[in-house]
Amino acid sequence: MAFRNFFQNGLVVNLLFLIVLLAVNVLVNLQYEPLSNVRLFVYQSVSLAYIYVMCVLHNKFVLKLLIHKSQYWQYIWAVVGWLAIVTTVTYTLRVYVFRTDNNVLWLGDLVFGAACLLIGVGMWFLYRGATLQTMELRNSLLLKEKELQYLQSQLDPHFFFNTLNNLYGVSLRYPNKTPELILSISELMRYQLQSSRKQLVPLEDELQFIRNYVHLERARVRQRCQVTFKKKGHEKDLLITPLILIAFVENAFKYAPSSMSASYIKVELEIKGETLLLKIRNTVPSNKQSVSSTGVGLNNVRQRLALAYAKRHTLISYEENNIYYTELQLTLDRHANTPLPDRR
């Protein structure tokens, strides 16, 4: 942080740039003049340093007349005065102080000063454009992070509400299972609280959370619904946005179970490299019943996907012949210190 702040200091940056500029000037002139011509090298260095300082002062104070105040005539007169001062000083240094070249008219100093001014103004505009772009990007990232935090805060009570609602249903049918289920729910809630403070979590932790949720839901639906959960591939060293998958699994358990007809839920996860593919198929009863819910889950996760995995995800979901299909493909992040797998 201190190193970055050091280079954000305008005086330090200008001083370093001037040193590099002077060094380049000496190296270029060594191709044409011997190093023994000390007077010429000193004159060029002093003159170049003076013009550079004047360009910095112009960009810092004079240019404001044009950029911020739109005072065009005042700016033109200020530039004329600037050129007059620079031409006078550089001519005096060349002819009367260092006496390096008395045969060149003051017009050469004027042209050189004007050229340096144009280059300086051009570099200032490039720097200003890059700075504004960096600030816009930083503000965009901050806004994105705040929006993700807001969506995450919505998801926490949503999941808590639905889980407690499920626990209530199980406790009515199987009261002897209630203590075990309360313990399972406490584990789910612990992970949810811990992961909600993070932007990314290990994929293996997220998948274990889903396994625990599926186990809890199996106890609730019992014989009313056949539940299968399969995983292929290795999740080690991969990172994922927390609670980004659970909404799809939860949605399947919300609508699939039916006591009137055969129903099933199939959850398949496949991991190839940094790509995660989630496929869910679940039956949808023809006589859908209203389900108690906050109505936040799927809309929330779609917004989170758009923010956290913009251009890195595809989501397809549709219903056909009383079967609901969901397919989500994500390109995940990997631990920074983890080498990429050999793809040969």
Side-chain angles (χ1 to χ4, degrees):
M1 181 65 71
F3 183 77
R4 185 174 64 183
N5 292 337
F6 177 79
F7 282 99
Q8 286 179 345
N9 187 309
L11 179 62
V12 172
V13 171
N14 280 303
L15 184 59
L16 291 176
F17 188 81
L18 178 58
I19 292 172
V20 172
L21 191 63
L22 293 175
V24 171
N25 177 68
V26 171
L27 292 174
V28 170
N29 280 285
L30 280 175
Q31 307 297 320
Y32 307 99
E33 296 288 341
L35 190 59
S36 58
N37 194 353
V38 178
R39 180 180 297 180
L40 176 64
F41 284 100
V42 173
Y43 156 70
Q44 289 182 340
S45 297
V46 172
S47 179
L48 193 59
Y50 169 73
I51 293 178
Y52 183 84
V53 170
M54 290 297 290
C55 286
V56 171
L57 293 174
H58 167 272
N59 293 342
K60 188 171 182 62
F61 300 106
V62 181
L63 202 56
K64 289 181 179 180
L65 296 173
L66 180 66
I67 301 299
H68 300 298
K69 299 182 180 180
S70 299
Q71 298 177 356
Y72 301 108
W73 283 109
Q74 290 89 331
Y75 176 72
I76 290 173
W77 284 114
V79 169
V80 170
W82 185 93
L83 287 172
I85 295 172
V86 168
T87 302
T88 302
V89 172
T90 53
Y91 181 80
T92 302
L93 288 173
R94 178 170 57 85
V95 176
Y96 298 105
V97 178
F98 293 98
R99 301 176 182 177
T100 58
D101 196 348
N102 298 332
N103 298 322
V104 180
L105 297 176
W106 60 268
L107 191 61
D109 299 287
L110 175 63
V111 172
F112 182 70
C116 290
L117 178 62
L118 288 175
I119 294 173
V121 171
M123 292 183 65
W124 183 86
F125 275 106
L126 288 174
Y127 174 77
R128 181 172 181 263
T131 302
L132 290 176
Q133 187 175 5
T134 302
M135 290 177 62
E136 288 177 2
L137 179 60
R138 185 181 301 164
N139 292 336
S140 176
L141 290 174
L142 287 173
L143 183 63
K144 177 180 174 180
E145 183 179 351
K146 288 184 179 298
E147 192 169 351
L148 279 170
Q149 290 174 352
Y150 170 72
L151 291 171
Q152 183 72 35
S153 67
Q154 279 188 319
L155 190 61
D156 290 346
H158 161 82
F159 182 79
F160 185 66
F161 173 86
N162 289 339
T163 304
L164 288 180
N165 188 59
N166 294 340
L167 176 62
Y168 174 73
V170 174
S171 64
L172 292 178
R173 292 187 179 91
Y174 314 103
N176 59 319
K177 290 284 185 179
T178 302
E180 179 186 348
L181 294 179
I182 290 176
L183 185 61
S184 299
I185 289 176
S186 69
E187 291 296 324
L188 293 175
M189 298 309 299
R190 181 182 293 110
Y191 173 79
Q192 185 192 25
L193 290 173
Q194 292 174 348
S195 64
S196 64
R197 303 187 187 100
K198 304 175 183 177
Q199 290 186 350
L200 294 171
V201 295
L203 178 59
E204 50 191 328
D205 293 348
E206 188 73 8
L207 295 188
Q208 185 59 48
F209 172 74
I210 293 177
R211 288 190 191 93
N212 293 340
Y213 179 79
V214 170
H215 174 72
L216 177 66
E217 287 295 293
R218 273 202 184 105
R220 180 176 68 88
V221 299
R222 295 255 172 172
Q223 291 83 11
R224 292 187 297 137
C225 184
Q226 181 183 358
V227 180
T228 57
F229 178 88
K230 295 181 180 179
K231 181 190 74 72
K232 291 172 60 178
H234 300 285
E235 66 269 29
K236 189 177 180 181
D237 300 323
L238 292 174
L239 301 171
I240 191 172
T241 300
L243 308 174
I244 202 80
L245 305 176
I246 190 63
F248 302 106
V249 180
E250 184 185 9
N251 193 65
F253 278 101
K254 190 186 301 180
Y255 295 104
S258 172
S259 57
M260 306 297 294
S261 59
S263 59
Y264 66 84
I265 298 172
K266 294 182 179 179
V267 181
E268 297 179 2
L269 279 156
E270 185 175 356
I271 305 162
K272 290 183 179 179
E274 289 83 30
T275 302
L276 169 70
L277 179 62
L278 170 67
K279 292 182 179 180
I280 300 177
R281 285 183 295 167
N282 61 273
T283 53
V284 180
S286 54
N287 56 338
K288 286 185 184 177
Q289 297 179 352
S290 61
V291 180
S292 179
S293 172
T294 63
V296 171
L298 289 181
N299 289 332
N300 180 288
V301 79
R302 286 191 179 97
Q303 294 178 63
R304 294 177 68 212
L305 283 169
L307 288 169
Y309 293 95
K311 299 182 180 180
R312 292 195 298 153
H313 83 280
T314 55
L315 174 61
I316 302 172
S317 57
Y318 60 93
E319 183 179 340
E320 186 177 275
N321 298 326
N322 289 340
I323 299 177
Y324 196 82
Y325 297 86
T326 301
E327 185 172 314
L328 172 65
Q329 181 173 305
L330 292 177
T331 301
L332 302 178
D333 299 286
R334 185 177 288 273
H335 282 292
N337 58 350
T338 302
L340 294 175
D342 190 351
R343 298 182 182 275
R344 291 178 295 176

